[in-house]
Amino acid sequence: MVKVFRAFVFTLIFIIILLLIIQYLFGSLFKYKDVPLPVEVHPEVRAKTEQLITSLEDKGINILITDDYRSLHDQDELYAKGRSEEGEIVTHAKGGESYHNYGLAVDFALVTKGGEVVWDMTYDGNGNGQADWDEVVAEAKKLGFEWGGDWQHFKDYPHLQYDFGLSINELQRGKRPPEEE
């Protein structure tokens, strides 16, 4: 009788530990299941982007936000470039795999004094001896943005993201950053 009771207790403890491990590893898979995808840039990302633009204007640098929120369909079309469609590969992220799809990323370009939009990382339009691109990145980082140029594998130099500490996996499962109140 004691052996049966011990086996029962051991089995019960094993099942509880197993359930706790499963909850810890996979629990949030179910927690956020039916949360809709955003359809625009997150308000805080928009505000930080506007702060970035204003602070750069004070330094004599003008940028253009060339892309921000991107639908899953648009992301898939971009992903097809250089693969099933003509052009060069510009992303390694399919629909749902980019922070753009969750309104948490922007892409930028520089605007020259003549109004030309350029992606020249050496351009020094304000004439201070430092590349404007580097100044944009430094200012963006001060505001909490992550820069795609710091990535180890696919460098995405025009890309800035403010991800609130959320991974793509969490976003895909429906977890969302807080909204402004």
Side-chain angles (χ1 to χ4, degrees):
M1 181 74 172
V2 173
K3 286 184 180 183
V4 172
F5 181 73
R6 283 185 188 162
F8 173 75
V9 170
F10 176 76
T11 304
L12 188 60
I13 291 171
F14 177 78
I15 290 171
I16 290 170
I17 290 171
L18 184 61
L19 289 172
L20 289 172
I21 291 171
I22 290 170
Q23 173 63 28
Y24 175 77
L25 295 175
F26 304 106
S28 59
L29 285 173
F30 311 107
K31 199 184 260 186
Y32 309 106
K33 195 171 184 177
D34 296 322
V35 176
L37 283 170
V39 294
E40 61 185 9
V41 173
H42 187 280
E44 192 168 336
V45 175
R46 182 171 309 285
K48 287 191 178 288
T49 303
E50 290 169 3
Q51 272 184 278
L52 176 64
I53 292 168
T54 300
S55 63
L56 291 168
E57 286 172 350
D58 293 343
K59 295 180 179 198
I61 300 172
N62 290 310
I63 64 169
L64 173 70
I65 301 303
T66 58
D67 207 358
D68 51 25
Y69 166 78
R70 197 181 294 143
S71 71
L72 300 182
H73 173 76
D74 291 344
Q75 186 70 36
D76 284 336
E77 284 185 348
L78 198 58
Y79 180 81
K81 287 185 180 181
R83 293 177 177 89
S84 59
E85 301 294 325
E86 286 188 37
E88 293 185 30
I89 291 177
V90 294
T91 185
H92 289 289
K94 295 178 182 178
E97 298 174 353
S98 170
Y99 283 96
H100 286 281
N101 305 143
Y102 304 95
L104 304 178
V106 298
D107 292 338
F108 73 94
L110 301 172
V111 180
T112 67
K113 300 271 186 230
E116 183 183 355
V117 176
V118 297
W119 288 265
D120 180 351
M121 293 176 63
T122 62
Y123 175 74
D124 181 18
N126 63 359
N128 68 353
Q130 185 179 0
D132 291 354
W133 200 276
D134 294 340
E135 292 183 76
V136 171
V137 169
E139 196 66 30
K141 287 180 177 183
K142 284 183 199 172
L143 293 169
F145 282 99
E146 178 184 331
W147 178 45
D150 287 334
W151 296 344
Q152 290 298 312
H153 301 289
F154 182 75
K155 302 280 187 184
D156 191 354
Y157 296 104
H159 181 90
L160 301 170
Q161 68 187 40
Y162 192 87
D163 59 28
F164 296 87
L166 297 172
S167 69
I168 286 293
N169 191 284
E170 289 172 312
L171 292 165
Q172 288 172 331
R173 292 191 319 249
K175 191 166 186 181
R176 300 290 180 260
E179 292 288 328
E180 288 181 334
E181 293 183 18

